[in-house]
Amino acid sequence: MKNERLRGKTIVITGASGGLGEQLAYMCAQNGANLYLLARNQEKLDRISASIREQYNVKCTPIALDVSKYDHIPKVFQRIYDQAGEIDVLVNNAGYGVFTEAGEVELADLEGMFAVNVVGLIACTKEVIPFMCKRKSGHIINIASQAGKLATPKSSVYSATKHAVLGYTNSLRMEMSQCGVFVTAVNPGPIRTGFFQTADPDGSYLENLGRFILNPKKVADNIVAAMLTNRREINMPSWMNWVGTLHTLMPNTVERLGRKAFFKK
C-alpha cells in the first residue's frame, strides 16, 4: 500500500516483535517512514529492525518495553523525542488475550490483560498527547477488536479490555479533534498471528474459524492506508462488524441466533 504521507515521518509501534505489529513496521518502512519498534523481546526487535534498515534504508530503532511496566514508559518516550524530535503516528498494538470461561479466569490473567491492553495503551498515549496537541498534528491508532463491540463466551475479560479501549478511544477522539490530531480505532476480527498461542493453545478456535480468519498483511495494509487521515474506525471483516451493529440494535435476537457459533471457542 502506497501512502506518500508517511515519507520521512516518525512512527512508533508497540507490540512490534511479531504478527500485526511486524507487518505494520515493514509496510511503514516501504513508504519511507522512520520507525521506533517497541516490544518485550529485544532479540526479535533487533532482527526485524536490521532487516528493515537493510531493505528500505530508513531509520529503525528497536527498544525493549513491556507496556505493563508503567514506570518505564515515560523514559522510553523521552528517549524517542530526544532522538527524533517528534512522533507523527503512535500505533498502540501491544495486547494479548486468554480465552476461558468467566468462572475460571485466573486473577493473574485478568490483571495482565487489563495492564497491557488498557492501562499500558493509555500510558503510552499520555506520552504523545501534549506534544501532538502543541504541534496540532499527529495520529493515534489504537488496535481494539470486534470483541470490543460484540462479546462472546470464553472472552469475557478480553472483551472487557477491548470495550474499555473503544470507550477511551471514542472520548480521546473528541478531545484531540480540538487540536487537529487524528484518532482511529481498529477493530479486527481474529487475525492469524501468534496471539492464539496464548488465547487458544489447543487450536480449536482457529480450526473452527477456518477461512474467516484474517490475514495480518491485509489488516496492516488497511491501517497503513489510513495513516495521517481522519479515519474514525477500521472494521474488518465487514460482515463481522455488521453482526456487532445488529447486536446493538437487537441483542436478544443476535445472541439467540448466534449462540451455537459463539460457543465455538
Side-chain angles (χ1 to χ4, degrees):
M1 168 55 63
K2 287 289 185 182
N3 185 342
E4 291 297 329
R5 293 179 297 274
L6 301 186
R7 186 163 302 280
K9 302 299 186 181
T10 299
I11 299 176
V12 177
I13 304 171
T14 69
S17 60
L20 179 60
E22 181 179 0
Q23 292 297 328
L24 286 168
Y26 276 100
M27 288 188 182
C28 289
Q30 288 174 18
N31 285 282
N34 299 311
L35 298 164
Y36 283 85
L37 306 184
L38 312 181
R40 293 179 301 172
N41 192 313
Q42 184 74 60
E43 184 178 349
K44 288 183 179 179
L45 289 177
D46 289 342
R47 173 182 56 78
I48 294 167
S49 297
S51 175
I52 285 174
R53 289 193 296 267
E54 181 179 353
Q55 290 185 59
Y56 302 111
N57 193 31
V58 297
K59 296 177 182 178
C60 187
T61 305
I63 305 177
L65 175 66
D66 180 346
V67 299
S68 69
K69 309 295 185 186
Y70 314 131
D71 57 328
H72 294 179
I73 292 174
K75 297 174 184 176
V76 167
F77 276 83
Q78 186 60 57
R79 173 182 168 185
I80 295 171
Y81 277 111
D82 288 344
Q83 293 179 0
E86 58 192 30
I87 295 172
D88 297 288
V89 181
L90 168 64
V91 183
N92 283 307
N93 172 68
Y96 79 101
V98 177
F99 291 164
T100 186
E101 292 186 1
E104 299 175 1
V105 174
E106 299 288 342
L107 289 181
D109 290 332
L110 184 156
E111 292 176 347
M113 280 186 272
F114 270 95
V116 174
N117 299 359
V118 182
V119 185
L121 178 149
I122 292 172
C124 289
T125 303
K126 277 175 57 65
E127 295 302 315
V128 304
I129 286 174
F131 295 93
M132 288 185 175
C133 281
K134 184 176 180 180
R135 293 173 55 215
K136 297 189 181 302
S137 68
H139 197 169
I140 299 166
I141 300 174
N142 292 335
I143 308 301
S145 171
Q146 287 295 325
K149 295 190 169 189
L150 174 60
T152 56
K154 297 185 180 180
S155 63
S156 56
V157 175
Y158 178 72
S159 281
T161 67
K162 294 305 183 177
H163 275 76
V165 169
L166 281 177
Y168 174 75
T169 304
N170 290 339
S171 176
L172 179 68
R173 183 185 300 108
M174 289 187 279
E175 293 181 12
M176 300 300 280
S177 68
Q178 298 181 97
C179 51
V181 176
F182 303 141
V183 177
T184 301
V186 180
N187 302 306
I191 308 172
R192 192 174 295 280
T193 67
F195 172 91
F196 287 100
Q197 294 174 3
T198 299
D200 178 44
D202 66 2
S204 58
Y205 185 44
L206 280 180
E207 183 179 349
N208 288 327
L209 283 170
R211 64 187 176 87
F212 295 115
I213 193 164
L214 294 168
N215 183 320
K217 290 184 178 180
K218 185 176 180 180
V219 180
D221 191 65
N222 277 268
I223 295 170
V224 171
M227 285 182 174
L228 297 176
T229 69
N230 192 15
R231 181 82 176 268
R232 186 179 192 279
E233 288 188 347
I234 297 171
N235 294 290
M236 299 178 67
S238 57
W239 67 265
M240 190 173 287
N241 187 56
W242 278 111
V243 173
T245 301
L246 191 62
H247 180 261
T248 301
L249 299 173
M250 297 185 294
N252 289 334
T253 301
V254 172
E255 289 173 12
R256 176 171 51 82
L257 295 177
R259 187 180 305 276
K260 184 177 180 180
F262 293 158
F263 272 93
K264 285 187 176 182
K265 273 199 184 78

